[in-house]
Amino acid sequence: MKTYLVGGAVRDRLLGRPSGDRDWVVVGSTPQAMGALGYMPVGKDFPVFLHPQTKEEYALARTERKSGHGYHGFQVHASPDVTLEEDLARRDLTINAMAQDDDGHVIDPYGGQRDLRERVLRHVSPAFAEDPVRILRLARFAARFHDFGVAEDTVVLMRKMVEAGEVDHLVAERVWQELARGLMEDKPSRMFEVLRDCGALARLLPEVDRLWGVPQRADYHPEVDTGVHLMMVMDMSARLHTSLAVRYACLGHDLGKGTTPPDVLPRHLGHEGRSALLLKQVNERLRVPVDCRELADVVAREHGNVHRSDALNAPAVLRLLERCDAFRKPQRFREILQACECDARGRLGLQDEPYPQAERLSLALDIALAVQTAEVSAAAQQRGLRGEAIGQAIAQARTEALVLGGF
């Protein structure tokens, strides 16, 4: 029985990057032997165990054989005679198919160190084509290691996988899992570039894929192309270190521009409402978490109004705050403003411009929240007001506070 550190921990050490979880492969053992040593079994599809002290994952060396479509269409073989090289061969990319022994020696049968030096993402073997999740994983790694290119033969292989319909068999949970992780990388645009290049984006997110080639008014969008703009917005969301919900909202804010009638281009009147409708389709298809759904919906509908908010008077500002549900969810409103800032600065030549709308609306919310609504409500009831009339009295008090605050 021998154990080896494998995968990302080896890759990141060679790159001099901090690493997260460590994964181990065990060669020459059985489930019974692992149990006798105190390892706790946790794997459902293949034998994986938790170390009795460190709780790190130890997997028995295994091979896989394709037996159907999609992520679950595999037959797994794990036995003491499976070698380390055979186990590494089933991995996705050469940079993830390296191991390290107890002495710190790197076992690299498939050229992972070479591809690290040459900054290339390359599949280990033709078996890459057996698992469509690997397309998403490679795209996610491209967003993390954004100075890496993708080997041409790997791009060709991914295109063949898409044409064969493998991507169509991906389950929603895995698509969202990989998409969400890619959105949180340093350069999310690279993920979408890779997916678009191999044709997978058109299958997984056609609402996003159709944005390339759609023109916008150059006076508002010097970059003109809507797809190019979206990628700039995504990278701005990473630059500003925003949350996943904000980054997803950025992804969906302009989907409606892909359905603008050609005869009215480059104008996009009403694209906000169309974006919100298209987002509902994406949310259902990918089973997007509620917090991401809700934030993206508000940003899609209101980002234009937020951009124009510097010209709004006190009553109009109050109505905008109410539509955004800012009084009940002030922290979410701050995230709405973050997404809108990413949109405003994700434009050619405007990346370093200030976004005063966020500061102004944050101040407006603070002023409105400072109004003692319980006192206003009590006073309104003493005057005999009930129900909706009390709400109108609170709105009037907040409007007056905004006026006094310079709005």
Side-chain angles (χ1 to χ4, degrees), residues 78-399:
S79 72
D81 60 351
V82 176
T83 67
L84 176 63
E85 289 73 17
E86 288 174 327
D87 181 271
L88 295 176
R90 66 176 177 77
R91 296 175 184 270
D92 51 6
L93 304 176
T94 59
I95 64 170
N96 297 330
M98 295 180 285
Q100 178 181 306
D101 63 19
D102 293 338
D103 297 325
H105 175 67
V106 174
I107 298 94
D108 178 20
Y110 304 107
Q113 293 178 94
R114 173 205 62 208
D115 287 338
L116 285 180
R117 290 192 299 270
E118 297 179 0
R119 295 293 194 264
V120 175
L121 300 174
R122 187 191 314 276
H123 64 286
V124 174
S125 74
F128 180 97
E130 296 177 350
D131 185 357
V133 172
R134 288 172 174 168
I135 293 177
L136 289 166
R137 279 175 52 82
L138 186 148
R140 171 167 62 82
F141 281 120
R144 179 184 304 178
F145 305 117
H146 48 84
D147 58 338
F148 281 51
V150 182
E152 183 56 36
D153 56 344
T154 302
V155 175
V156 171
L157 181 59
M158 291 194 296
R159 289 173 181 163
K160 290 180 179 178
M161 293 169 66
V162 173
E163 292 169 1
E166 277 290 329
V167 171
D168 303 328
H169 294 280
L170 285 169
V171 296
E173 290 82 1
R174 286 310 305 270
V175 175
W176 171 252
Q177 181 184 52
E178 296 297 331
L179 177 66
R181 295 177 71 179
L183 288 175
M184 295 306 295
E185 297 291 359
D186 291 341
K187 197 173 180 64
S189 64
R190 284 283 289 132
M191 173 173 63
F192 295 101
E193 290 167 4
V194 169
L195 292 176
R196 183 167 176 256
D197 188 33
C198 71
L201 189 62
R203 300 290 186 93
L204 299 172
L205 285 170
E207 300 87 352
V208 174
D209 184 72
R210 67 168 67 107
L211 296 179
W212 275 267
V214 176
Q216 303 170 103
R217 288 177 55 179
D219 48 342
Y220 291 115
H221 289 275
E223 71 286 346
V224 180
D225 189 286
T226 305
V228 172
H229 163 61
L230 179 60
M231 294 300 97
M232 296 178 72
V233 174
M234 298 313 305
D235 288 344
M236 183 58 65
S237 73
R239 175 179 167 183
L240 298 182
H241 304 290
T242 62
S243 68
L244 174 60
V246 170
R247 298 189 193 200
Y248 180 67
C250 288
L251 179 64
H253 81 284
D254 267 352
L255 295 183
K257 290 183 177 180
T259 60
T260 298
D263 59 326
V264 301
L265 293 174
R267 303 177 71 200
H268 292 278
L269 295 176
H271 80 275
E272 295 90 349
R274 297 197 303 276
S275 296
L277 289 175
L278 289 168
L279 263 171
K280 289 184 178 180
Q281 298 177 15
V282 176
N283 292 339
E284 293 302 318
R285 190 169 69 246
L286 299 186
R287 301 179 187 175
V288 176
V290 173
D291 61 329
C292 293
R293 292 183 184 217
E294 292 182 347
L295 183 67
D297 176 68
V298 179
V299 171
R301 289 186 287 104
E302 299 292 347
H303 66 274
N305 293 322
V306 172
H307 293 332
R308 295 184 289 270
S309 63
D310 53 354
L312 299 181
N313 60 16
V317 167
L318 184 67
R319 290 194 295 272
L320 175 59
L321 294 175
E322 290 172 340
R323 289 197 305 275
C324 293
D325 202 10
F327 300 119
R328 287 199 318 124
K329 300 179 179 180
Q331 180 53 42
R332 192 186 72 174
F333 184 67
R334 315 286 184 192
E335 292 193 310
I336 292 169
L337 296 180
Q338 274 192 317
C340 292
E341 180 177 356
C342 293
D343 179 29
R345 294 173 60 184
R347 309 182 192 206
L348 188 63
L350 303 180
Q351 295 92 327
D352 297 314
E353 290 296 307
Y355 190 64
Q357 293 93 325
E359 183 176 355
R360 184 172 186 260
L361 288 176
S362 290
L363 175 61
L365 179 58
D366 289 340
I367 291 173
L369 285 173
V371 172
Q372 300 299 313
T373 56
E375 295 178 6
V376 175
S377 177
Q381 292 180 49
Q382 288 180 354
R383 299 201 312 269
L385 300 181
R386 296 290 184 272
E388 187 176 331
I390 294 177
Q392 293 172 350
I394 292 173
Q396 181 61 34
R398 284 171 168 164
T399 301

